[in-house]
Amino acid sequence: MSFDAVEVIVAKRDGHRLSDAQIDWVIDAYTRGEVADEQMSALNMAILLNGMDRAEIARWTAAMIASGERMSFSHLSRPTADKHSTGGVGDKITLPLAPLVAVFDVAVPQLSGRGLGHTGGTLDKLESIPGWRAALSNDEMMRQLEDVGAVICQAGSGLAPADRKLYALRDVTGTVEAIPLIASSIMSKKIAEGTGALVLDVKVGSGAFMKDLDRASELARTMVDLGTDAGVRTVALLTDMSTPLGLTAGNALEVRESVEVLAGGGPADVVELTLALAREMLDAAGRPDADPAAALADGRAMDAWNRMIEAQGGDPRAELPWARETDVVVAESDGVLETLDAYAVGIAAWRLGAGRARKEDPVQAGAGVVLHARPGDTVRAGEPILTLHTDTPERFGRAREALEGGVVVAPAGTDVAVRPLVLGRID
Ligand code: URA
């Protein structure tokens, strides 16, 4: 069936629901180039302003899945579980999590992306390991899932091609934040990938898409419903992203911190979130009695990491790169660190060279920010709060500008309320 693009735009503009046939047509016609970018931009804006109901979102997602290939892991000898984070600053959890879950005979296919804007990308982080390669064929990926149990690699271009086009358009038309569009974008790729279980880490706070808990809960509910309706065991944790995760933001810096977690150490919040997500994945994959904390403590997760990195050509024992220059940001007064804003730190790391402005830009492996204090910690005037790392010191000024207002020291004795890391759970 064929429609007129203007008729579909006007229907949503005037607050009507779109029919299944209209949705199927508009996604297919846009992917083929028959619906123009300016028409899809107008429709996206109408969706952002007027929303979609559950059936419309489900159909929109199904149409995006139908635009490309579907993978299947049904021939693997073990169950599959995947995790998706909506993106945050210092969010390196995929790195320790994938090998940790694989220890328990669960296959973890992590199809990941590169960073754009202030949030880092998992592939950029892993590419700081000498020799490691992100691009695998489907056969290589399946072999690695059978042999090692965990794979983190680039998503092939065949999965939900409609999403790639739509996402690029949303990025430049102020329509990224629409809940139906975010939910369908994420879930179309996850459902097409074919995982049996999926755990969503929906970030809430300044460093996340969703700044408040109500909107984050709505996004989580929408995605959990989409996954469940498609036969994927799906659960979401709502987690804090008002301050960075752990003590590092930047590619090689975050790999080092992840290896510390795999060695049984690392910052408490990174360990807490890794274990919370691992327990959800193991439970959803039918391994409720597994003890992931024991696997971090006794070296089994580290063994799985080493095998995962080696299987993709990386040398897990190689020295990771350091940036050539550093600049220390100190506390200006005695007191308690009240705010260390995730968005400010994310922008600073990005400006130092850890992220990219356009998707073809290179990233610096060593660039980023190291935190020496976290909200609630006592600090003294002149003591370091952050160290900025880059190969290109002319970037320090702009990175410091990004931090203005994002680092706040309150007078000594101030009672600073530190948000819990896990703010809710939706299944
Ligand atoms: N990640 C995605 O894949 N899509 C979105 O819309 C937002 C985050």
Side-chain angles (χ1 to χ4, degrees), residues 247-250 253 345-346 348-349 352 367-371 386-389 403:
L247 297 173
T248 56
L253 294 169
V345 173
L352 289 165
V369 179
V370 174
L371 284 58
L386 302 171
T387 302
L388 313 183
H389 293 242
L403 293 165

Side-chain angles (χ1 to χ4, degrees), residues 3 22 85 103 116 118 130 141 143-144 169-170 173 221 237 242 259 270 281-282 293 310 318 332 361 367 369 388 392:
F3 291 88
Q22 283 176 319
S85 158
V103 165
L116 194 62
H118 73 281
M141 179 183 171
R143 212 171 314 124
Q144 188 170 327
L169 187 68
R170 287 165 56 211
T173 54
R221 174 87 270 151
L237 294 185
S242 58
V259 171
V270 180
M281 288 169 77
L282 290 163
E310 280 165 357
E332 285 174 2
D361 290 347
V369 179
L388 313 183
T392 38

Side-chain angles (χ1 to χ4, degrees), residues 63-405:
M64 299 225 293
I65 295 169
S67 72
E69 63 171 325
R70 285 192 82 148
M71 294 175 68
S72 169
F73 299 117
S74 55
H75 59 283
L76 291 179
S77 60
R78 42 189 135 180
T80 44
D82 193 2
K83 186 258 331 187
H84 180 85
S85 158
T86 56
V89 178
D91 184 2
K92 69 275 299 171
I93 302 293
T94 296
L95 276 55
L97 182 65
L100 173 60
V101 171
V103 165
F104 298 96
D105 222 16
V106 173
V108 186
Q110 279 285 165
L111 301 184
S112 299
R114 291 176 198 286
L116 194 62
H118 73 281
T119 62
T122 299
L123 301 181
D124 294 327
K125 295 172 200 189
L126 286 166
E127 279 176 346
S128 64
I129 301 173
W132 187 86
R133 106 195 131 84
L136 299 184
S137 67
N138 283 1
D139 282 351
E140 286 174 315
M141 179 183 171
M142 294 297 175
R143 212 171 314 124
Q144 188 170 327
L145 281 173
E146 206 48 90
D147 296 347
V148 180
V151 62
I152 304 176
C153 66
Q154 189 176 312
S157 55
L159 283 185
D163 177 61
R164 218 176 350 278
K165 233 182 137 182
L166 262 172
Y167 191 82
L169 187 68
R170 287 165 56 211
D171 206 23
V172 294
T173 54
T175 50
V176 168
E177 288 82 359
I179 286 179
L181 299 180
I182 300 177
S184 55
S185 164
I186 293 172
M187 295 305 293
S188 60
K189 288 172 284 195
K190 291 296 165 185
I191 296 167
E193 170 201 289
T195 184
L198 175 64
V199 177
L200 298 161
D201 180 4
V202 179
K203 302 287 186 197
V204 192
S206 69
F209 278 127
M210 297 292 140
K211 312 290 178 202
D212 67 76
L213 194 54
D214 284 350
R215 294 233 338 129
S217 303
E218 189 186 335
L219 175 63
R221 174 87 270 151
T222 307
M223 291 196 290
V224 168
D225 288 346
L226 281 173
T228 307
D229 289 352
V232 181
R233 285 181 302 285
T234 311
V235 50
L237 294 185
L238 296 157
T239 72
D240 182 50
M241 188 31 70
S242 58
T243 203
L245 254 180
L247 297 173
T248 56
N251 302 313
L253 294 169
E254 292 190 45
V255 174
R256 270 191 206 92
E257 190 168 271
S258 304
V259 171
E260 283 170 28
V261 171
L262 288 158
D269 61 335
V270 180
V271 176
E272 179 188 341
L273 189 53
T274 303
L275 289 176
L277 291 165
R279 289 190 185 108
E280 294 289 355
M281 288 169 77
L282 290 163
D283 207 29
R287 306 275 191 269
D289 299 326
D291 180 0
L296 285 182
D298 65 17
R300 280 176 294 159
M302 181 70 97
D303 289 345
W305 160 264
N306 288 339
R307 281 186 283 119
M308 179 181 83
I309 297 301
E310 280 165 357
Q312 289 173 245
D315 177 357
R317 289 163 197 87
E319 175 67 14
L320 292 167
W322 287 101
R324 282 193 288 276
E325 308 282 341
T326 57
D327 183 26
V328 179
V329 177
V330 299
E332 285 174 2
S333 56
D334 290 352
V336 187
L337 186 59
E338 185 172 40
T339 304
L340 191 49
D341 183 71
Y343 184 69
V345 173
I347 296 287
W350 178 46
R351 289 185 180 172
L352 289 165
R356 49 170 72 78
R358 289 170 310 161
K359 58 180 186 322
E360 51 284 357
D361 290 347
V363 295
Q364 292 183 21
V369 179
V370 174
L371 284 58
H372 303 292
R374 297 193 47 86
D377 288 353
T378 299
V379 295
R380 303 222 161 276
E383 280 182 4
I385 292 189
L386 302 171
T387 302
L388 313 183
H389 293 242
T390 186
D391 292 332
T392 38
E394 62 276 15
R395 294 172 180 254
F396 285 134
R398 294 270 292 139
R400 278 180 172 265
E401 276 171 29
L403 293 165
E404 276 167 24

